[in-house]
Amino acid sequence: KQEVTQIPAALSVPEGENLVLNCSFTDSAIYNLQWFRQDPGKGLTSLLLIQSSQREQTSGRLNASLDKSSGRSTLYIAASQPGDSATYLCAVRFGGGQNFVFGPGTRLSVLP
Amino acid sequence: EAGVAQSPRYKIIEKRQSVAFWCNPISGHATLYWYQQILGQGPKLLIQFQNNGVVDDSQLPKDRFSAERLKGVDSTLKIQPAKLEDSAVYLCASSLTGGQPQHFGDGTRLSIL
């Protein structure tokens, strides 16, 4: 069964810290992987999309890496701000499918 | 560009009643998705449309859930009759085509009493 897990489930850090969110998936044959942000009561906002041929993607203070062989992706957030507080979800498009399988998310709180 | 529009934002019904949700995707997006997100979990795909055809409905509880996208643009998702375990946020997303980045609406929060 193709599954996506995320650790930790929740994380609280002081403002200014660099932090790493983790995503693991059970099948290394993936097409791509996407990181989303979800604010309370809102839909999902796409942050970064990594194709299976790529090792990492960067956007501003965000950097996402992909290691297919170990079934892992990390989302690195530099110099965290209170506005980064949200739930971060990882979604994997496994090979042969058109759909994403989502992890349960990591709830991030950045304290001022 | 206008985003994905969903209505209503909130709905409260009693079990065994019926309910319908509406979604209008981003203009030009051929693929439309309906997801169910239970509190504390990631979204689970219910159904995917490519234009007005169904691509994947393998996780749709067809005995009570139905969805349509008759003209290949907006879509409705219906639950009849509702059960307590259907309490969730129902998210609609669209993409240019299957496998492309998805854009999400704000969802409909359904509470079953």
Side-chain angles (χ1 to χ4, degrees), chain B residues 91-107:
Chain B
L91 294 164
C92 179
S94 70
S95 62
L96 279 171
T97 187
Q100 296 299 307
Q102 298 180 22
H103 302 262
F104 284 78
D106 285 341

Side-chain angles (χ1 to χ4, degrees), chain B:
Chain B
E1 112 188 314
V4 176
Q6 289 189 248
S7 66
R9 287 298 318 276
Y10 306 93
K11 192 72 177 179
I12 301 173
I13 62 172
E14 295 183 347
K15 60 183 179 183
R16 290 187 290 273
Q17 286 187 327
S18 62
V19 63
F21 313 126
W22 175 81
C23 172
N24 190 27
I26 292 173
S27 178
H29 281 196
T31 308
L32 185 147
Y33 312 80
W34 283 103
Y35 290 89
Q36 180 192 58
Q37 186 176 23
I38 293 172
L39 187 64
Q41 299 181 17
K44 181 185 81 172
L45 180 71
L46 293 175
I47 189 167
Q48 176 188 350
F49 291 96
Q50 179 72 16
N51 298 310
N52 61 350
V54 175
V55 174
D56 184 350
D57 63 355
S58 57
Q59 298 191 92
L60 185 73
K62 298 180 184 65
D63 58 334
R64 299 184 300 106
F65 285 65
S66 65
E68 60 183 15
R69 193 185 184 199
L70 294 176
K71 297 183 179 179
V73 181
D74 56 350
S75 174
T76 56
L77 175 69
K78 297 179 181 178
I79 307 175
Q80 181 179 8
K83 292 185 175 181
L84 292 176
E85 60 260 35
D86 299 332
S87 293
V89 175
Y90 291 84
L91 294 164
C92 179
S94 70
S95 62
L96 279 171
T97 187
Q100 296 299 307
Q102 298 180 22
H103 302 262
F104 284 78
D106 285 341
T108 296
R109 183 176 300 275
L110 175 65
S111 297
I112 312 294
L113 304 178

Side-chain angles (χ1 to χ4, degrees), chain A:
Chain A
K1 182 179 179 182
Q2 295 168 331
E3 293 183 343
V4 180
T5 56
Q6 292 185 246
I7 295 174
L11 180 65
S12 185
V13 300
E15 181 178 6
E17 273 203 6
N18 303 323
L19 58 99
V20 174
L21 306 180
N22 297 292
C23 171
S24 298
F25 43 93
T26 54
D27 187 347
S28 63
I30 71 169
Y31 188 80
N32 57 35
L33 181 147
Q34 195 164 1
W35 282 94
F36 292 87
R37 167 186 174 137
Q38 186 173 31
D39 293 286
K42 296 289 188 179
L44 281 64
T45 300
S46 178
L47 298 173
L48 291 164
L49 174 71
I50 310 179
Q51 301 294 344
S52 63
S53 58
Q54 298 174 318
R55 294 296 299 264
E56 64 180 296
Q57 280 283 353
T58 298
S59 176
R61 293 183 294 109
L62 305 179
N63 176 276
S65 67
L66 174 64
D67 183 346
K68 288 189 302 179
S69 62
S70 64
R72 291 182 181 178
S73 175
T74 61
L75 179 66
Y76 175 83
I77 302 177
S80 59
Q81 302 171 358
D84 295 330
S85 297
T87 297
Y88 290 80
L89 295 124
C90 166
V92 177
R93 182 184 169 195
F94 290 98
Q98 288 193 30
N99 304 310
F100 285 98
V101 177
F102 283 83
T106 293
R107 190 172 66 255
L108 172 66
S109 297
V110 180
L111 307 176

